[in-house]
Amino acid sequence: MTRPTAGDRMRRILAIVPWLAAHPGVRVDEVCARFDLTRAALLADLEVLPFIGVPPYTPDTLIQVGIDDDRIEVVLAQPFDRPLRLTPEQALALVAAGRAARDLPGADPGDPLQRGLAKLAGALGVDPDEVVEVHLGPASTATLSVLRAAAADRRRLEIDYYSYGRDERTTRQVDPHRVVAEHGRWYLEGHCHRSGGQRLFRVDRIVDVRPLDLTFAPPGPDPDADLEAYRPAGDDPRVTLVLPPTARWVIEQYPHEGAEERPDGGWTVRLPVSADAWLARLLLRLGPDAAVVAADDPRHLTLAAASARRVRARYA
């Protein structure tokens, strides 16, 4: 299961905390609606806040959070009032992070965070809207607009979608539930009528989108739902890979069923395989330092060599 990283949550908290501090006593449901969060996700973020502060991390240097009668109170610690002494590099990175936070759902362009960042950008002599550009993948602005409008209007879409794992292009009808930014990418989450279930689509892989004259009922609440680009099925074949130390990213990026660190710093990991094309690409990307040592499908034991031969033949 793919879950938001610490960086993703921190960017979200950067947008939420200044607004909460400026709106004492706001209700939980109002915050959820403003920032497009489930109640569970918001409460999980609020549980983190009391651990955020500055050295020496005594109670008076930490953020205070309280919920009384479903109303939220956030009090920033006094050290947060002190001016920061930043290097130019740190200041520019802060401006870029604030620019990204401004694009998150519910962020207020006029809140104290954005006003402070505007002053910081002025001191640096940069325009955060022109000099600092934050990209969440190569998703088309026009496509994002159509997807957001359809999700708001509960209008069914027909999309032409390229599946990277299966290396195929398909046409699907989708009930769009929400458009979200996670892990540096834009995603469309909705009910896929072709697959018969909830699916996640990378927006930059939507080749074309067409609104239909069909509407759908709002989805039921799912407070514990997390973004999942791939849900392993019980009958999906599994492979066991031996990875070098530099390939730890495989464990962090893909669903797996157990990873064990090796004495040399490498890893042994068992992965479900959604499609042969996905595994072939992964093995080619890993190169000769990774190896398939066990596989439910015997063809996967020699897939890396076979894929390399096909690539070599193409460029011969």
Side-chain angles (χ1 to χ4, degrees):
M1 178 179 294
T2 303
R3 297 183 180 274
T5 65
D8 296 325
R9 291 188 66 189
M10 185 54 65
R11 283 189 291 272
R12 189 167 67 199
I13 290 171
L14 276 173
I16 294 175
V17 170
W19 192 84
L20 290 178
H23 297 80
V26 65
R27 289 193 174 276
V28 171
D29 291 343
E30 183 180 345
V31 181
C32 290
R34 179 179 181 85
F35 291 94
D36 191 24
L37 289 173
T38 64
R39 185 182 182 90
L42 174 61
L43 294 179
D45 285 346
L46 295 180
E47 289 177 355
V48 174
L49 292 187
F51 299 98
I52 297 177
V54 297
Y57 304 108
T58 52
D60 60 316
T61 64
L62 300 174
I63 296 177
Q64 300 178 32
V65 181
I67 301 179
D68 184 24
D69 193 25
D70 222 35
R71 294 183 179 273
I72 305 172
E73 296 280 351
V74 170
V75 179
L76 300 180
Q78 187 175 1
F80 284 91
D81 294 332
R82 299 173 186 168
L84 295 175
R85 298 184 181 275
L86 302 173
T87 66
E89 293 80 6
Q90 291 171 332
L92 188 59
L94 185 58
V95 171
R99 177 66 177 84
R102 195 180 73 182
D103 291 337
L104 294 173
D108 184 356
D111 68 12
L113 171 64
Q114 296 302 330
R115 293 199 302 270
L117 290 172
K119 293 180 180 179
L120 182 58
L124 290 170
V126 302
D127 184 337
D129 289 322
E130 296 180 359
V131 178
V132 181
E133 297 183 358
V134 180
H135 296 283
L136 288 175
S140 162
T141 302
T143 299
L144 283 169
S145 298
V146 173
L147 298 179
R148 287 178 174 136
D153 297 340
R154 305 295 181 192
R155 182 172 298 279
R156 186 174 299 177
L157 297 171
E158 184 174 74
I159 65 173
D160 295 334
Y161 187 72
Y162 173 69
S163 174
Y164 180 86
R166 299 185 182 279
D167 192 23
E168 64 180 6
R169 178 171 165 172
T170 57
T171 299
R172 304 161 179 260
Q173 290 192 9
V174 178
D175 295 342
H177 295 163
R178 59 175 181 156
V179 178
V180 292
E182 293 286 347
H183 316 298
R185 301 283 182 181
W186 286 108
Y187 289 92
L188 169 67
E189 185 177 22
H191 178 83
C192 175
H193 291 268
R194 184 175 187 269
S195 303
Q198 195 80 350
R199 292 293 184 270
L200 196 66
F201 302 96
R202 265 181 53 171
V203 174
D204 60 330
R205 292 178 184 164
I206 297 177
V207 182
D208 194 16
V209 56
R210 297 170 292 277
L212 302 177
D213 292 329
L214 296 169
T215 58
F216 59 93
D222 188 4
D224 297 320
D226 288 299
L227 291 174
E228 294 180 84
Y230 164 56
R231 295 184 179 94
D235 57 353
D236 283 347
R238 270 63 172 171
V239 297
T240 301
L241 305 182
V242 172
L243 304 175
T246 55
R248 181 186 173 87
W249 57 267
V250 174
I251 300 169
E252 299 171 345
Q253 184 171 342
Y254 296 113
H256 60 81
E257 298 177 348
E260 182 179 348
E261 189 170 8
R262 300 168 59 83
D264 62 356
W267 296 85
T268 300
V269 58
R270 178 176 167 84
L271 296 170
V273 179
S274 59
D276 288 1
W278 171 83
L279 179 60
R281 285 194 179 102
L282 176 62
L283 293 174
L284 288 174
R285 182 179 175 186
L286 288 169
D289 293 332
V292 180
V293 295
D296 294 345
D297 186 337
R299 294 180 300 112
H300 292 162
L301 291 169
T302 57
L303 186 61
S307 300
R309 286 195 296 270
R310 286 198 300 271
V311 172
R312 192 162 52 245
R314 178 173 297 180
Y315 288 96

